[in-house]
PDB file of all heavy atoms in Angstrom:
ATOM      1  N   LEU A   1      -6.891   5.134 -12.780  1.00  0.00           N
ATOM      2  CA  LEU A   1      -6.162   5.981 -11.835  1.00  0.00           C
ATOM      3  C   LEU A   1      -4.773   6.315 -12.374  1.00  0.00           C
ATOM      4  O   LEU A   1      -4.107   5.479 -12.982  1.00  0.00           O
ATOM      5  CB  LEU A   1      -6.026   5.287 -10.479  1.00  0.00           C
ATOM      6  CG  LEU A   1      -7.327   5.017  -9.713  1.00  0.00           C
ATOM      7  CD1 LEU A   1      -7.017   4.314  -8.397  1.00  0.00           C
ATOM      8  CD2 LEU A   1      -8.095   6.306  -9.458  1.00  0.00           C
ATOM      9  N   THR A   2      -4.354   7.546 -12.145  1.00  0.00           N
ATOM     10  CA  THR A   2      -3.043   8.007 -12.588  1.00  0.00           C
ATOM     11  C   THR A   2      -2.091   8.086 -11.399  1.00  0.00           C
ATOM     12  O   THR A   2      -2.489   7.915 -10.244  1.00  0.00           O
ATOM     13  CB  THR A   2      -3.159   9.404 -13.221  1.00  0.00           C
ATOM     14  OG1 THR A   2      -3.553  10.337 -12.190  1.00  0.00           O
ATOM     15  CG2 THR A   2      -4.194   9.414 -14.344  1.00  0.00           C
ATOM     16  N   GLU A   3      -0.841   8.375 -11.698  1.00  0.00           N
ATOM     17  CA  GLU A   3       0.156   8.527 -10.629  1.00  0.00           C
ATOM     18  C   GLU A   3      -0.247   9.643  -9.675  1.00  0.00           C
ATOM     19  O   GLU A   3      -0.063   9.529  -8.459  1.00  0.00           O
ATOM     20  CB  GLU A   3       1.531   8.818 -11.240  1.00  0.00           C
ATOM     21  CG  GLU A   3       2.657   8.753 -10.226  1.00  0.00           C
ATOM     22  CD  GLU A   3       4.027   8.793 -10.875  1.00  0.00           C
ATOM     23  OE1 GLU A   3       4.108   8.623 -12.102  1.00  0.00           O
ATOM     24  OE2 GLU A   3       5.007   8.990 -10.138  1.00  0.00           O
ATOM     25  N   ASN A   4      -0.804  10.740 -10.200  1.00  0.00           N
ATOM     26  CA  ASN A   4      -1.258  11.838  -9.335  1.00  0.00           C
ATOM     27  C   ASN A   4      -2.411  11.408  -8.434  1.00  0.00           C
ATOM     28  O   ASN A   4      -2.511  11.866  -7.287  1.00  0.00           O
ATOM     29  CB  ASN A   4      -1.678  13.041 -10.185  1.00  0.00           C
ATOM     30  CG  ASN A   4      -0.489  13.791 -10.750  1.00  0.00           C
ATOM     31  OD1 ASN A   4       0.601  13.749 -10.195  1.00  0.00           O
ATOM     32  ND2 ASN A   4      -0.691  14.482 -11.863  1.00  0.00           N
ATOM     33  N   ASP A   5      -3.289  10.549  -8.960  1.00  0.00           N
ATOM     34  CA  ASP A   5      -4.390  10.044  -8.136  1.00  0.00           C
ATOM     35  C   ASP A   5      -3.847   9.239  -6.964  1.00  0.00           C
ATOM     36  O   ASP A   5      -4.336   9.354  -5.828  1.00  0.00           O
ATOM     37  CB  ASP A   5      -5.325   9.169  -8.973  1.00  0.00           C
ATOM     38  CG  ASP A   5      -6.059   9.952 -10.049  1.00  0.00           C
ATOM     39  OD1 ASP A   5      -6.351  11.138  -9.819  1.00  0.00           O
ATOM     40  OD2 ASP A   5      -6.339   9.373 -11.120  1.00  0.00           O
ATOM     41  N   PHE A   6      -2.832   8.433  -7.230  1.00  0.00           N
ATOM     42  CA  PHE A   6      -2.237   7.646  -6.146  1.00  0.00           C
ATOM     43  C   PHE A   6      -1.530   8.544  -5.134  1.00  0.00           C
ATOM     44  O   PHE A   6      -1.499   8.244  -3.936  1.00  0.00           O
ATOM     45  CB  PHE A   6      -1.280   6.595  -6.707  1.00  0.00           C
ATOM     46  CG  PHE A   6      -1.975   5.417  -7.329  1.00  0.00           C
ATOM     47  CD1 PHE A   6      -1.897   5.178  -8.688  1.00  0.00           C
ATOM     48  CD2 PHE A   6      -2.725   4.552  -6.547  1.00  0.00           C
ATOM     49  CE1 PHE A   6      -2.547   4.093  -9.263  1.00  0.00           C
ATOM     50  CE2 PHE A   6      -3.381   3.463  -7.110  1.00  0.00           C
ATOM     51  CZ  PHE A   6      -3.293   3.232  -8.474  1.00  0.00           C
ATOM     52  N   LYS A   7      -0.960   9.654  -5.589  1.00  0.00           N
ATOM     53  CA  LYS A   7      -0.350  10.612  -4.662  1.00  0.00           C
ATOM     54  C   LYS A   7      -1.401  11.170  -3.714  1.00  0.00           C
ATOM     55  O   LYS A   7      -1.141  11.374  -2.528  1.00  0.00           O
ATOM     56  CB  LYS A   7       0.320  11.744  -5.446  1.00  0.00           C
ATOM     57  CG  LYS A   7       1.638  11.357  -6.093  1.00  0.00           C
ATOM     58  CD  LYS A   7       2.252  12.548  -6.826  1.00  0.00           C
ATOM     59  CE  LYS A   7       3.566  12.168  -7.471  1.00  0.00           C
ATOM     60  NZ  LYS A   7       4.163  13.310  -8.229  1.00  0.00           N
ATOM     61  N   GLU A   8      -2.594  11.439  -4.259  1.00  0.00           N
ATOM     62  CA  GLU A   8      -3.701  11.919  -3.431  1.00  0.00           C
ATOM     63  C   GLU A   8      -4.088  10.853  -2.408  1.00  0.00           C
ATOM     64  O   GLU A   8      -4.326  11.148  -1.229  1.00  0.00           O
ATOM     65  CB  GLU A   8      -4.901  12.256  -4.315  1.00  0.00           C
ATOM     66  CG  GLU A   8      -6.038  12.953  -3.600  1.00  0.00           C
ATOM     67  CD  GLU A   8      -5.867  14.457  -3.531  1.00  0.00           C
ATOM     68  OE1 GLU A   8      -5.567  15.084  -4.570  1.00  0.00           O
ATOM     69  OE2 GLU A   8      -6.031  14.998  -2.422  1.00  0.00           O
ATOM     70  N   LEU A   9      -4.115   9.602  -2.860  1.00  0.00           N
ATOM     71  CA  LEU A   9      -4.479   8.500  -1.964  1.00  0.00           C
ATOM     72  C   LEU A   9      -3.474   8.321  -0.824  1.00  0.00           C
ATOM     73  O   LEU A   9      -3.839   7.919   0.279  1.00  0.00           O
ATOM     74  CB  LEU A   9      -4.585   7.194  -2.745  1.00  0.00           C
ATOM     75  CG  LEU A   9      -5.952   6.774  -3.277  1.00  0.00           C
ATOM     76  CD1 LEU A   9      -5.869   5.410  -3.935  1.00  0.00           C
ATOM     77  CD2 LEU A   9      -6.996   6.769  -2.167  1.00  0.00           C
ATOM     78  N   LYS A  10      -2.206   8.634  -1.107  1.00  0.00           N
ATOM     79  CA  LYS A  10      -1.172   8.479  -0.079  1.00  0.00           C
ATOM     80  C   LYS A  10      -1.454   9.339   1.143  1.00  0.00           C
ATOM     81  O   LYS A  10      -1.032   9.015   2.253  1.00  0.00           O
ATOM     82  CB  LYS A  10       0.205   8.845  -0.649  1.00  0.00           C
ATOM     83  CG  LYS A  10       0.834   7.774  -1.511  1.00  0.00           C
ATOM     84  CD  LYS A  10       2.225   8.212  -1.965  1.00  0.00           C
ATOM     85  CE  LYS A  10       2.862   7.184  -2.887  1.00  0.00           C
ATOM     86  NZ  LYS A  10       4.196   7.605  -3.329  1.00  0.00           N
ATOM     87  N   THR A  11      -2.152  10.434   0.957  1.00  0.00           N
ATOM     88  CA  THR A  11      -2.464  11.310   2.085  1.00  0.00           C
ATOM     89  C   THR A  11      -3.617  10.765   2.917  1.00  0.00           C
ATOM     90  O   THR A  11      -3.869  11.258   4.021  1.00  0.00           O
ATOM     91  CB  THR A  11      -2.812  12.731   1.602  1.00  0.00           C
ATOM     92  OG1 THR A  11      -4.046  12.690   0.861  1.00  0.00           O
ATOM     93  CG2 THR A  11      -1.725  13.292   0.701  1.00  0.00           C
ATOM     94  N   GLU A  12      -4.322   9.761   2.395  1.00  0.00           N
ATOM     95  CA  GLU A  12      -5.521   9.267   3.067  1.00  0.00           C
ATOM     96  C   GLU A  12      -5.395   7.835   3.579  1.00  0.00           C
ATOM     97  O   GLU A  12      -5.998   7.478   4.584  1.00  0.00           O
ATOM     98  CB  GLU A  12      -6.732   9.336   2.115  1.00  0.00           C
ATOM     99  CG  GLU A  12      -6.983  10.705   1.523  1.00  0.00           C
ATOM    100  CD  GLU A  12      -7.204  11.768   2.585  1.00  0.00           C
ATOM    101  OE1 GLU A  12      -7.732  11.438   3.666  1.00  0.00           O
ATOM    102  OE2 GLU A  12      -6.836  12.925   2.358  1.00  0.00           O
ATOM    103  N   LEU A  13      -4.645   6.997   2.869  1.00  0.00           N
ATOM    104  CA  LEU A  13      -4.564   5.584   3.223  1.00  0.00           C
ATOM    105  C   LEU A  13      -3.201   5.235   3.813  1.00  0.00           C
ATOM    106  O   LEU A  13      -2.190   5.852   3.460  1.00  0.00           O
ATOM    107  CB  LEU A  13      -4.794   4.704   1.983  1.00  0.00           C
ATOM    108  CG  LEU A  13      -6.135   4.847   1.253  1.00  0.00           C
ATOM    109  CD1 LEU A  13      -6.179   3.895   0.065  1.00  0.00           C
ATOM    110  CD2 LEU A  13      -7.299   4.595   2.188  1.00  0.00           C
ATOM    111  N   LEU A  14      -3.191   4.260   4.691  1.00  0.00           N
ATOM    112  CA  LEU A  14      -1.923   3.706   5.149  1.00  0.00           C
ATOM    113  C   LEU A  14      -1.170   3.193   3.926  1.00  0.00           C
ATOM    114  O   LEU A  14      -1.720   2.451   3.110  1.00  0.00           O
ATOM    115  CB  LEU A  14      -2.171   2.557   6.131  1.00  0.00           C
ATOM    116  CG  LEU A  14      -0.938   1.756   6.544  1.00  0.00           C
ATOM    117  CD1 LEU A  14       0.023   2.628   7.340  1.00  0.00           C
ATOM    118  CD2 LEU A  14      -1.337   0.536   7.356  1.00  0.00           C
ATOM    119  N   THR A  15       0.084   3.618   3.779  1.00  0.00           N
ATOM    120  CA  THR A  15       0.866   3.258   2.599  1.00  0.00           C
ATOM    121  C   THR A  15       2.097   2.466   3.017  1.00  0.00           C
ATOM    122  O   THR A  15       2.825   2.872   3.926  1.00  0.00           O
ATOM    123  CB  THR A  15       1.301   4.517   1.829  1.00  0.00           C
ATOM    124  OG1 THR A  15       0.134   5.267   1.454  1.00  0.00           O
ATOM    125  CG2 THR A  15       2.062   4.149   0.567  1.00  0.00           C
ATOM    126  N   ILE A  16       2.301   1.339   2.351  1.00  0.00           N
ATOM    127  CA  ILE A  16       3.487   0.524   2.602  1.00  0.00           C
ATOM    128  C   ILE A  16       4.234   0.311   1.290  1.00  0.00           C
ATOM    129  O   ILE A  16       3.660   0.487   0.209  1.00  0.00           O
ATOM    130  CB  ILE A  16       3.127  -0.839   3.232  1.00  0.00           C
ATOM    131  CG1 ILE A  16       2.284  -1.677   2.252  1.00  0.00           C
ATOM    132  CG2 ILE A  16       2.400  -0.644   4.549  1.00  0.00           C
ATOM    133  CD1 ILE A  16       2.115  -3.118   2.675  1.00  0.00           C
ATOM    134  N   SER A  17       5.485  -0.053   1.379  1.00  0.00           N
ATOM    135  CA  SER A  17       6.299  -0.319   0.195  1.00  0.00           C
ATOM    136  C   SER A  17       6.800  -1.756   0.250  1.00  0.00           C
ATOM    137  O   SER A  17       7.329  -2.195   1.278  1.00  0.00           O
ATOM    138  CB  SER A  17       7.491   0.647   0.139  1.00  0.00           C
ATOM    139  OG  SER A  17       7.051   1.986   0.067  1.00  0.00           O
ATOM    140  N   VAL A  18       6.624  -2.480  -0.863  1.00  0.00           N
ATOM    141  CA  VAL A  18       7.079  -3.869  -0.930  1.00  0.00           C
ATOM    142  C   VAL A  18       7.682  -4.155  -2.298  1.00  0.00           C
ATOM    143  O   VAL A  18       7.469  -3.404  -3.255  1.00  0.00           O
ATOM    144  CB  VAL A  18       5.923  -4.873  -0.672  1.00  0.00           C
ATOM    145  CG1 VAL A  18       5.276  -4.637   0.680  1.00  0.00           C
ATOM    146  CG2 VAL A  18       4.888  -4.809  -1.790  1.00  0.00           C
ATOM    147  N   GLN A  19       8.390  -5.238  -2.382  1.00  0.00           N
ATOM    148  CA  GLN A  19       8.921  -5.702  -3.656  1.00  0.00           C
ATOM    149  C   GLN A  19       7.944  -6.695  -4.287  1.00  0.00           C
ATOM    150  O   GLN A  19       7.166  -7.346  -3.594  1.00  0.00           O
ATOM    151  CB  GLN A  19      10.269  -6.386  -3.461  1.00  0.00           C
ATOM    152  CG  GLN A  19      11.381  -5.447  -3.020  1.00  0.00           C
ATOM    153  CD  GLN A  19      12.700  -6.164  -2.846  1.00  0.00           C
ATOM    154  OE1 GLN A  19      12.733  -7.310  -2.414  1.00  0.00           O
ATOM    155  NE2 GLN A  19      13.790  -5.487  -3.199  1.00  0.00           N
ATOM    156  N   ALA A  20       7.981  -6.784  -5.601  1.00  0.00           N
ATOM    157  CA  ALA A  20       7.172  -7.772  -6.296  1.00  0.00           C
ATOM    158  C   ALA A  20       7.575  -9.165  -5.825  1.00  0.00           C
ATOM    159  O   ALA A  20       8.758  -9.440  -5.591  1.00  0.00           O
ATOM    160  CB  ALA A  20       7.364  -7.650  -7.804  1.00  0.00           C
ATOM    161  N   GLY A  21       6.588 -10.036  -5.676  1.00  0.00           N
ATOM    162  CA  GLY A  21       6.851 -11.387  -5.216  1.00  0.00           C
ATOM    163  C   GLY A  21       6.692 -11.561  -3.724  1.00  0.00           C
ATOM    164  O   GLY A  21       6.823 -12.677  -3.207  1.00  0.00           O
ATOM    165  N   THR A  22       6.397 -10.464  -2.994  1.00  0.00           N
ATOM    166  CA  THR A  22       6.205 -10.573  -1.548  1.00  0.00           C
ATOM    167  C   THR A  22       4.952 -11.401  -1.251  1.00  0.00           C
ATOM    168  O   THR A  22       3.927 -11.264  -1.920  1.00  0.00           O
ATOM    169  CB  THR A  22       6.061  -9.171  -0.914  1.00  0.00           C
ATOM    170  OG1 THR A  22       7.228  -8.401  -1.209  1.00  0.00           O
ATOM    171  CG2 THR A  22       5.893  -9.275   0.598  1.00  0.00           C
ATOM    172  N   GLU A  23       5.037 -12.250  -0.252  1.00  0.00           N
ATOM    173  CA  GLU A  23       3.911 -13.098   0.127  1.00  0.00           C
ATOM    174  C   GLU A  23       2.719 -12.229   0.535  1.00  0.00           C
ATOM    175  O   GLU A  23       2.850 -11.269   1.311  1.00  0.00           O
ATOM    176  CB  GLU A  23       4.314 -13.998   1.295  1.00  0.00           C
ATOM    177  CG  GLU A  23       3.242 -14.974   1.718  1.00  0.00           C
ATOM    178  CD  GLU A  23       3.630 -15.748   2.973  1.00  0.00           C
ATOM    179  OE1 GLU A  23       4.688 -15.439   3.564  1.00  0.00           O
ATOM    180  OE2 GLU A  23       2.869 -16.647   3.359  1.00  0.00           O
ATOM    181  N   LEU A  24       1.547 -12.544   0.011  1.00  0.00           N
ATOM    182  CA  LEU A  24       0.349 -11.745   0.273  1.00  0.00           C
ATOM    183  C   LEU A  24       0.009 -11.695   1.763  1.00  0.00           C
ATOM    184  O   LEU A  24      -0.394 -10.647   2.277  1.00  0.00           O
ATOM    185  CB  LEU A  24      -0.839 -12.305  -0.505  1.00  0.00           C
ATOM    186  CG  LEU A  24      -1.018 -11.784  -1.930  1.00  0.00           C
ATOM    187  CD1 LEU A  24      -2.068 -12.597  -2.668  1.00  0.00           C
ATOM    188  CD2 LEU A  24      -1.399 -10.312  -1.901  1.00  0.00           C
ATOM    189  N   ALA A  25       0.161 -12.814   2.453  1.00  0.00           N
ATOM    190  CA  ALA A  25      -0.126 -12.826   3.883  1.00  0.00           C
ATOM    191  C   ALA A  25       0.749 -11.827   4.623  1.00  0.00           C
ATOM    192  O   ALA A  25       0.290 -11.124   5.529  1.00  0.00           O
ATOM    193  CB  ALA A  25       0.073 -14.231   4.445  1.00  0.00           C
ATOM    194  N   GLN A  26       2.014 -11.719   4.209  1.00  0.00           N
ATOM    195  CA  GLN A  26       2.926 -10.766   4.839  1.00  0.00           C
ATOM    196  C   GLN A  26       2.532  -9.329   4.495  1.00  0.00           C
ATOM    197  O   GLN A  26       2.605  -8.431   5.340  1.00  0.00           O
ATOM    198  CB  GLN A  26       4.357 -11.032   4.384  1.00  0.00           C
ATOM    199  CG  GLN A  26       5.393 -10.184   5.103  1.00  0.00           C
ATOM    200  CD  GLN A  26       5.462 -10.516   6.584  1.00  0.00           C
ATOM    201  OE1 GLN A  26       5.882 -11.590   6.970  1.00  0.00           O
ATOM    202  NE2 GLN A  26       5.032  -9.579   7.433  1.00  0.00           N
ATOM    203  N   VAL A  27       2.103  -9.111   3.259  1.00  0.00           N
ATOM    204  CA  VAL A  27       1.649  -7.779   2.838  1.00  0.00           C
ATOM    205  C   VAL A  27       0.469  -7.319   3.698  1.00  0.00           C
ATOM    206  O   VAL A  27       0.410  -6.164   4.144  1.00  0.00           O
ATOM    207  CB  VAL A  27       1.256  -7.775   1.347  1.00  0.00           C
ATOM    208  CG1 VAL A  27       0.624  -6.439   0.970  1.00  0.00           C
ATOM    209  CG2 VAL A  27       2.465  -8.056   0.473  1.00  0.00           C
ATOM    210  N   LEU A  28      -0.467  -8.220   3.953  1.00  0.00           N
ATOM    211  CA  LEU A  28      -1.641  -7.871   4.761  1.00  0.00           C
ATOM    212  C   LEU A  28      -1.238  -7.479   6.177  1.00  0.00           C
ATOM    213  O   LEU A  28      -1.815  -6.565   6.772  1.00  0.00           O
ATOM    214  CB  LEU A  28      -2.623  -9.038   4.798  1.00  0.00           C
ATOM    215  CG  LEU A  28      -3.267  -9.437   3.469  1.00  0.00           C
ATOM    216  CD1 LEU A  28      -4.248 -10.584   3.680  1.00  0.00           C
ATOM    217  CD2 LEU A  28      -3.972  -8.259   2.820  1.00  0.00           C
ATOM    218  N   VAL A  29      -0.245  -8.140   6.717  1.00  0.00           N
ATOM    219  CA  VAL A  29       0.236  -7.800   8.058  1.00  0.00           C
ATOM    220  C   VAL A  29       0.915  -6.429   8.034  1.00  0.00           C
ATOM    221  O   VAL A  29       0.664  -5.580   8.902  1.00  0.00           O
ATOM    222  CB  VAL A  29       1.205  -8.876   8.591  1.00  0.00           C
ATOM    223  CG1 VAL A  29       1.816  -8.440   9.926  1.00  0.00           C
ATOM    224  CG2 VAL A  29       0.477 -10.209   8.756  1.00  0.00           C
ATOM    225  N   TYR A  30       1.795  -6.218   7.046  1.00  0.00           N
ATOM    226  CA  TYR A  30       2.466  -4.916   6.917  1.00  0.00           C
ATOM    227  C   TYR A  30       1.443  -3.777   6.818  1.00  0.00           C
ATOM    228  O   TYR A  30       1.650  -2.678   7.333  1.00  0.00           O
ATOM    229  CB  TYR A  30       3.341  -4.888   5.661  1.00  0.00           C
ATOM    230  CG  TYR A  30       4.614  -5.711   5.740  1.00  0.00           C
ATOM    231  CD1 TYR A  30       5.194  -6.214   4.576  1.00  0.00           C
ATOM    232  CD2 TYR A  30       5.245  -5.967   6.946  1.00  0.00           C
ATOM    233  CE1 TYR A  30       6.369  -6.962   4.616  1.00  0.00           C
ATOM    234  CE2 TYR A  30       6.416  -6.714   7.007  1.00  0.00           C
ATOM    235  CZ  TYR A  30       6.966  -7.211   5.833  1.00  0.00           C
ATOM    236  OH  TYR A  30       8.120  -7.961   5.885  1.00  0.00           O
ATOM    237  N   ALA A  31       0.327  -4.042   6.098  1.00  0.00           N
ATOM    238  CA  ALA A  31      -0.673  -3.005   5.820  1.00  0.00           C
ATOM    239  C   ALA A  31      -1.731  -2.896   6.919  1.00  0.00           C
ATOM    240  O   ALA A  31      -2.719  -2.166   6.758  1.00  0.00           O
ATOM    241  CB  ALA A  31      -1.354  -3.293   4.487  1.00  0.00           C
ATOM    242  N   ASP A  32      -1.511  -3.593   8.032  1.00  0.00           N
ATOM    243  CA  ASP A  32      -2.469  -3.578   9.153  1.00  0.00           C
ATOM    244  C   ASP A  32      -3.851  -4.078   8.748  1.00  0.00           C
ATOM    245  O   ASP A  32      -4.865  -3.698   9.360  1.00  0.00           O
ATOM    246  CB  ASP A  32      -2.592  -2.171   9.760  1.00  0.00           C
ATOM    247  CG  ASP A  32      -1.386  -1.801  10.606  1.00  0.00           C
ATOM    248  OD1 ASP A  32      -0.611  -2.716  10.962  1.00  0.00           O
ATOM    249  OD2 ASP A  32      -1.219  -0.607  10.903  1.00  0.00           O
ATOM    250  N   LEU A  33      -3.909  -4.912   7.732  1.00  0.00           N
ATOM    251  CA  LEU A  33      -5.177  -5.519   7.324  1.00  0.00           C
ATOM    252  C   LEU A  33      -5.373  -6.877   7.997  1.00  0.00           C
ATOM    253  O   LEU A  33      -6.434  -7.491   7.886  1.00  0.00           O
ATOM    254  CB  LEU A  33      -5.233  -5.684   5.802  1.00  0.00           C
ATOM    255  CG  LEU A  33      -5.192  -4.384   4.996  1.00  0.00           C
ATOM    256  CD1 LEU A  33      -5.163  -4.671   3.504  1.00  0.00           C
ATOM    257  CD2 LEU A  33      -6.385  -3.498   5.336  1.00  0.00           C
ATOM    258  N   ALA A  34      -4.347  -7.336   8.681  1.00  0.00           N
ATOM    259  CA  ALA A  34      -4.412  -8.570   9.466  1.00  0.00           C
ATOM    260  C   ALA A  34      -3.419  -8.440  10.606  1.00  0.00           C
ATOM    261  O   ALA A  34      -2.370  -7.794  10.467  1.00  0.00           O
ATOM    262  CB  ALA A  34      -4.083  -9.790   8.608  1.00  0.00           C
ATOM    263  N   SER A  35      -3.742  -9.058  11.724  1.00  0.00           N
ATOM    264  CA  SER A  35      -2.874  -8.950  12.901  1.00  0.00           C
ATOM    265  C   SER A  35      -1.731  -9.954  12.871  1.00  0.00           C
ATOM    266  O   SER A  35      -0.747  -9.801  13.596  1.00  0.00           O
ATOM    267  CB  SER A  35      -3.701  -9.141  14.176  1.00  0.00           C
ATOM    268  OG  SER A  35      -4.340 -10.409  14.169  1.00  0.00           O
TER     269      SER A  35
END
């Protein structure tokens, strides 16, 4: 996948922004993949 492919994905998927090192459990909550 290229940067342009990810731009296309941004129009379809919930997109969140995080810093490297963020706890995975917190990422899942931010991304609505866990409550």
Side-chain angles (χ1 to χ4, degrees):
L1 296 180
T2 66
E3 190 170 347
N4 285 335
D5 294 328
F6 284 113
K7 285 181 180 178
E8 189 86 48
L9 266 184
K10 282 183 183 180
T11 67
E12 305 302 329
L13 300 180
L14 172 66
T15 302
I16 64 169
S17 299
V18 302
Q19 293 180 324
T22 302
E23 183 186 6
L24 273 170
Q26 186 65 68
V27 173
L28 295 182
V29 174
Y30 287 154
D32 285 344
L33 297 176
S35 59

